[in-house]
Amino acid sequence: MDETFALNDARFATNLAVIRKEVSRSHDDFITEHFRRYSEPDLPPVWKTLEVISMGTLSKLYSNFSDATAKHAVAREFGLNHHKFLRSWLECLAVLRNCCAHHSRLSNRVFPVKPKMPERMPNKWITDFSFREQTLYPQLCYLVYWLNSIIPDNTFVVDFKQLLIKYPSVNTRLLGFPYNWEQEPLWR
């Protein structure tokens, strides 16, 4: 809530107004209980507030944060070399989430924002960058990488491959997947 930590004051004011609106329309018990017990400050603590804001708002907050050292520290928690990747992935995730939430098609879709795809990463990643950048494939690559950094024993890749077996009519080429995608370290 301190604008001295913002890169852009106007974006800070806009983000704060959106956060206030998102918190005020929340009916979550922990938010209503908070306001029942406290009248100041006008927003709950960050650990409560971030639970009810949208992915888009979170993306904009992170992007506008001026402390590069703190941004790098957050990015490193997710196995990323640089905060620019986390900023890009958050922005893309907001778009992808909205597509899914509104039941938009993902096959043969051109995403308006393409994720920054580093050539090297500290954890298992991809080696073939011959895919179309604005397709679902790079979106899923950063999601798998990110998920692996949070929950190393997750089953996303196995579950995804099972879905492709269950629905053989799904053409991975229309999702932007390159020819040998299953051989990539990230997807093994």
Side-chain angles (χ1 to χ4, degrees):
M1 295 199 42
D2 185 347
E3 68 186 63
T4 62
F5 290 105
L7 291 170
N8 180 297
D9 292 344
R11 273 190 281 160
F12 172 83
T14 301
N15 289 340
L16 194 53
V18 169
I19 290 169
R20 283 190 172 103
K21 181 179 176 183
E22 289 176 344
V23 168
S24 72
R25 71 177 183 212
S26 172
H27 298 293
D28 288 297
D29 290 343
F30 62 94
I31 296 292
T32 55
E33 178 63 23
H34 176 86
F35 285 119
R36 204 171 321 179
R37 298 179 87 186
Y38 307 102
S39 58
E40 290 183 7
D42 66 333
L43 284 173
V46 67
W47 58 271
K48 290 181 182 178
T49 299
L50 292 183
E51 285 286 324
V52 298
I53 67 170
S54 70
M55 187 58 64
T57 301
L58 180 63
S59 169
K60 291 172 186 169
L61 276 176
Y62 184 80
S63 177
N64 196 36
F65 192 50
S66 65
D67 186 342
T69 303
K71 285 168 94 168
H72 277 302
V74 172
R76 277 192 300 275
E77 287 293 317
F78 295 109
L80 298 168
N81 304 340
H82 196 279
H83 67 81
K84 69 181 177 184
F85 300 119
L86 182 56
R87 181 190 49 75
S88 168
W89 292 6
L90 279 168
E91 184 180 352
C92 290
L93 183 60
V95 172
L96 178 61
R97 180 255 168 231
N98 288 342
C99 288
C100 293
H102 297 285
H103 308 288
S104 298
R105 69 178 167 77
L106 299 176
S107 180
N108 208 21
R109 180 180 200 88
V110 176
F111 286 87
V113 183
K114 58 186 176 187
K116 290 191 184 305
M117 302 294 282
E119 289 185 18
R120 285 181 297 285
M121 297 290 270
N123 303 323
K124 287 195 293 184
W125 187 230
I126 57 174
T127 58
D128 179 4
F129 293 86
S130 65
F131 52 84
R132 291 176 296 147
E133 294 178 313
Q134 290 179 290
T135 63
L136 182 63
Y137 178 71
Q139 304 284 333
L140 291 181
C141 286
Y142 76 74
L143 277 175
V144 169
Y145 186 88
W146 211 348
L147 189 56
N148 288 344
S149 74
I150 298 166
I151 308 167
D153 60 347
N154 75 81
T155 61
F156 182 90
V157 170
V158 171
D159 294 344
F160 180 75
K161 288 178 178 179
Q162 287 298 317
L163 279 173
L164 292 177
I165 291 167
K166 185 176 180 179
Y167 300 100
S169 64
V170 172
N171 183 346
T172 55
R173 300 295 286 168
L174 291 178
L175 302 175
F177 281 63
Y179 177 67
N180 282 326
W181 68 273
E182 289 181 276
Q183 302 310 312
E184 289 288 344
L186 181 70
W187 292 97
R188 283 193 211 149

